[in-house]
Amino acid sequence: MNHTPKTKRPLGLTRAHQQVKKLTSLRQEQRDTRQYAEAWYQALRGWQVIYPTVTTPSISYAAFRASGSVETLTSGEVSPFLPTYLSTPSGELSEAQVARAITEMTLSRIPGTVQLGRMLDRLRHQDNGSMESLLRGTAWSQHKERALRYAVAVLTLAVRLDDVEAERPLQQVTTELSQTKVVNAVQNC
């Protein structure tokens, strides 16, 4: 007979506890994904532009007036173009950079990317075709497939803008959207 010693489980780590912990962490990750997509969605929907503060030096013209010079100095009146920024979940991004990324998506040769770009363009211009929110409470909106499509669009843009934190949520939302399409296709048969 082979007598292998039985190892005891650590206290509090039964299989049921492990399953509950795994499911709870999965639900939390899904909630975090939805919240992150919603944050990007609202940032683009609101399109709140941040203007940089311009400091102009105070200059005394007394020396020029005393010398009898009649030329007007325009120091600081013609300042260089200062970029504007958008407040996003990944920080402040150049408004031009975000707009350029959306335009590149709409001009893409890939039909799916063009569709995402058009959705983002409608969102940016606050078209009535966009949704008020992707969420209803902490779950997806009642128009789940549409909310998922917008989530894919905003998270795709976020990844294109080098938001590393958007990569995992984009994968999750893309997977969930493909599963939703399959379920809808089966229900429509």
Side-chain angles (χ1 to χ4, degrees):
M1 282 214 283
N2 188 1
H3 294 286
T4 56
K6 291 186 177 185
T7 57
K8 292 184 178 181
R9 285 189 197 127
L11 291 176
L13 290 179
T14 63
R15 186 173 294 220
H17 282 96
Q18 290 171 344
Q19 278 299 104
V20 168
K21 190 174 182 179
K22 182 179 176 182
L23 289 173
T24 304
S25 67
L26 180 63
R27 280 193 208 116
Q28 184 61 45
E29 188 176 6
Q30 290 170 339
R31 239 182 260 122
D32 293 344
T33 294
R34 290 189 293 262
Q35 290 295 331
Y36 200 69
E38 175 69 10
W40 265 99
Y41 184 82
Q42 292 303 328
L44 295 174
R45 187 171 181 274
W47 204 266
Q48 294 178 343
V49 179
I50 300 168
Y51 297 94
T53 56
V54 179
T55 56
T56 54
S58 64
I59 299 174
S60 172
Y61 296 102
F64 298 104
R65 284 190 212 115
S67 68
S69 175
V70 292
E71 294 181 29
T72 307
L73 294 177
T74 59
S75 174
E77 289 181 14
V78 183
S79 61
F81 173 74
L82 295 173
T84 53
Y85 296 92
L86 289 177
S87 179
T88 68
S90 66
E92 291 180 358
L93 297 175
S94 165
E95 181 183 20
Q97 178 187 12
V98 176
R100 187 174 26 257
I102 292 172
T103 302
E104 287 172 1
M105 289 174 73
T106 60
L107 299 175
S108 173
R109 293 181 181 213
I110 303 169
T113 305
V114 172
Q115 182 183 11
L116 296 177
R118 288 179 180 165
M119 292 172 74
L120 292 169
D121 198 46
R122 279 196 308 266
L123 183 61
R124 172 175 63 163
H125 291 108
Q126 299 173 350
D127 186 8
N128 291 334
S130 61
M131 302 173 71
E132 194 70 29
S133 173
L134 299 181
L135 301 179
R136 180 185 63 210
T138 58
W140 290 116
S141 167
Q142 60 192 16
H143 307 289
K144 182 178 180 178
E145 188 172 347
R146 190 167 175 219
L148 285 168
R149 287 180 191 277
Y150 269 109
V152 168
V154 298
L155 292 172
T156 299
L157 177 66
V159 168
R160 284 177 171 245
L161 295 170
D162 299 324
D163 182 1
V164 179
E165 291 184 37
E167 291 175 3
R168 177 85 173 122
L170 176 59
Q171 291 172 352
Q172 291 175 338
V173 171
T174 304
T175 301
E176 190 172 351
L177 178 61
S178 66
Q179 291 170 350
T180 301
K181 287 180 183 178
V182 169
V183 169
N184 288 344
V186 170
Q187 289 176 347
N188 292 333
C189 288

